Amino acid sequence: MEGALGGTRGGVRGIRVSGQALWRDVTAAAQGVRRAWAGPGRERDLVVQAAKAALAAWLAWAVSGWWLHAPVAFVAPWVAVVLVESTVYRSIAHGLQQLAAIAAGTVVATAIGLLVHDTVVAMAVVLPLALLLGQWGRLGSQGIYAATGALFVLTNGAVTVTTSAARLGEALFGAVVGIAVNALIRPPLYLRDSEAVLQDATEEAHDILRAVADGLAEDRWDTEEAGVWHERALRLHRLVEQAHSTVEWGRESLRGNLRHRHQGPVPPVGKEYDDAVLVLDYAAVHTAGVTRTVLEAAAEDRPARRPHPDLARHYAEFLYRSARALRAYGQSRFDHKREDELRDAVADLRGTLHDLRRDLARSATGDPDELATYGALLAQAHRLADQLIASGT
């Protein structure tokens, strides 16, 4: 009886958890719809791309199926819908790869199908060959369409050269429609995403450094709080990786894109973005180093004393200046009028680092663990400051 009740309670709990997860998904979807309606952003871009894919499929079918009554008209909308890619360049590159893969699978399947009139035997021979063809590096992620093209040949009635040629023609037409729709109707442009993600990563790095500085300045840091700082610093590295990926995505979205030529001057995803990612990467690595050292110093079982409150406040001042310089750097990358602010922040950081080095040297004792703590803090300070100083000169 108890087992049955436990199973019932477990089932009810599972249903409740599933319901809560479903509600969160529905809420997130509703919020995405509101953001898409409210203004430009990632959500609206997704809606536009979905509408364009549907339009491409409709156009391809309207011409090939409804108007021309092509024998294998379904191939055109199928190819068109999958080639409305996230960037124009990707549509073109994947379109060429996909056509090559479909052609390879179709030719192999047609040749063997004409020789072997048993579909089961023909599939047993063709599919391994088509799948091997799909592994060819030049076909990239589109290699699977070699097997798909072969299956269309062998499972759609009698194998004939005429039908296979029509199938290739429909695939070509669908590719042209999909690429044309993506290139001519609001082609995707991700410069806004690149700048937004970089700014988000910069602000998070700034906030982490400020949080650590506040804790050190007020001498209220313990193992739990230091652990939270370190976790945030580790997540910052993943955010920087996302920024790097988004910058590459934005750069790719400019290739073959006609949209940015007609909407006024658009900043290219160039050296400013790459430099920003590099500085953020250094900041993430050395921020994690600082928080790790602070976490180790806060550990209750650590034999070394925590840094003296006065010294901790001096280090906090360095972190405040680092946070200010990092924010100024992020702002100056996309607004050159703020470069004077960056130079001032870097000058303050340089002076603070000099004072910190002097104070740490004066505070050093003969305790090896204490020397290790001070040395680690000073090393991370140097590395973080060196990159920020280099970026501001």
Side-chain angles (χ1 to χ4, degrees):
M1 178 67 69
E2 291 181 0
L5 290 175
T8 301
R9 285 194 294 268
V12 172
R13 187 163 52 249
I15 293 173
R16 186 183 301 114
V17 171
S18 299
Q20 291 172 347
L22 178 61
W23 177 250
R24 286 195 298 268
D25 291 342
V26 172
T27 302
Q31 291 173 346
V33 171
R34 283 197 296 270
R35 286 193 295 268
W37 181 265
R42 179 61 176 163
E43 291 78 10
R44 179 172 290 186
D45 290 340
L46 292 174
V47 172
V48 170
Q49 287 299 103
K52 287 165 56 178
L55 174 63
W58 181 84
L59 287 174
W61 172 257
V63 174
S64 61
W66 177 74
W67 184 29
L68 298 179
H69 300 287
V72 283
F74 70 92
V75 175
W78 171 66
V79 173
V81 74
V82 298
L83 286 184
V84 180
E85 292 270 7
S86 52
T87 66
V88 175
Y89 171 78
R90 194 159 296 199
S91 286
I92 297 172
H94 284 181
L96 294 173
Q97 290 176 329
Q98 189 179 126
L99 287 174
I102 291 174
T106 300
V107 169
V108 171
T110 302
I112 294 179
L114 291 174
L115 294 175
V116 180
H117 299 289
D118 188 305
T119 302
V120 175
V121 175
M123 287 180 65
V125 175
V126 170
L127 287 181
L129 295 176
L131 290 170
L132 285 174
L133 280 172
Q135 299 302 313
W136 187 28
R138 291 188 179 277
L139 296 180
S141 61
Q142 307 301 303
I144 188 62
Y145 290 106
T148 304
L151 284 173
F152 281 165
V153 170
L154 298 175
T155 60
N156 194 35
V159 178
T160 65
V161 174
T162 301
T163 303
S164 295
R167 188 174 287 107
L168 292 176
E170 292 300 320
L172 177 60
F173 176 69
V176 170
V177 172
I179 293 171
V181 167
N182 203 32
L184 298 177
I185 301 177
R186 199 179 183 272
L189 196 62
Y190 297 109
L191 297 182
R192 179 182 61 249
D193 292 350
S194 299
E195 186 170 339
V197 171
L198 285 171
Q199 290 175 342
D200 288 344
T202 302
E203 284 301 310
E204 177 64 9
H206 169 273
D207 293 346
I208 294 171
L209 292 173
R210 291 278 306 186
V212 178
D214 288 340
L216 294 179
E218 298 171 13
D219 195 26
R220 57 170 177 76
W221 48 292
D222 54 21
T223 305
E224 182 178 353
E225 190 164 16
V228 172
W229 296 336
H230 189 53
E231 286 296 322
R232 288 183 66 185
L234 294 178
R235 288 196 297 270
L236 174 62
H237 186 68
R238 293 193 289 272
L239 190 59
V240 173
E241 289 180 342
Q242 179 186 349
H244 175 72
S245 176
T246 306
V247 167
E248 292 301 316
W249 203 262
R251 180 176 286 114
E252 183 181 294
S253 74
L254 289 173
R255 302 178 68 178
N257 195 317
L258 302 177
R259 177 180 167 195
H260 74 281
R261 301 176 186 175
H262 302 289
Q263 63 176 27
V266 174
V269 186
K271 192 173 185 300
E272 292 85 357
Y273 289 79
D274 293 331
D275 289 346
V277 170
L278 180 62
V279 170
L280 283 172
D281 191 35
Y282 272 95
V285 170
H286 301 312
T287 299
V290 169
T291 56
R292 183 185 299 109
T293 303
V294 172
L295 176 61
E296 291 173 351
E300 295 179 357
D301 57 348
R302 183 174 175 81
R305 292 186 298 106
R306 288 154 58 109
H308 189 276
D310 288 339
L311 185 60
R313 281 192 288 272
H314 290 158
Y315 201 82
E317 185 61 28
F318 162 77
L319 293 180
Y320 283 134
R321 302 299 174 91
S322 297
R324 180 192 170 207
L326 187 60
R327 171 178 278 178
Y329 173 80
Q331 293 171 340
S332 69
R333 289 302 87 189
F334 307 106
D335 183 0
H336 295 296
K337 295 179 181 179
R338 309 190 72 164
E339 289 182 351
D340 290 341
E341 181 181 338
L342 173 60
R343 281 191 287 270
D344 292 341
V346 165
D348 288 344
L349 179 62
R350 185 183 285 112
T352 305
L353 179 62
H354 175 75
D355 294 341
L356 179 64
R357 186 190 303 114
R358 182 193 58 212
D359 293 337
L360 284 174
R362 290 175 178 175
S363 303
T365 67
D367 188 306
D369 290 322
E370 190 171 323
L371 284 173
T373 299
Y374 288 178
L377 288 173
L378 183 58
Q380 296 299 342
H382 266 292
R383 291 166 183 162
L384 179 58
D386 287 346
Q387 189 63 33
L388 290 173
I389 290 171
S391 67
T393 56

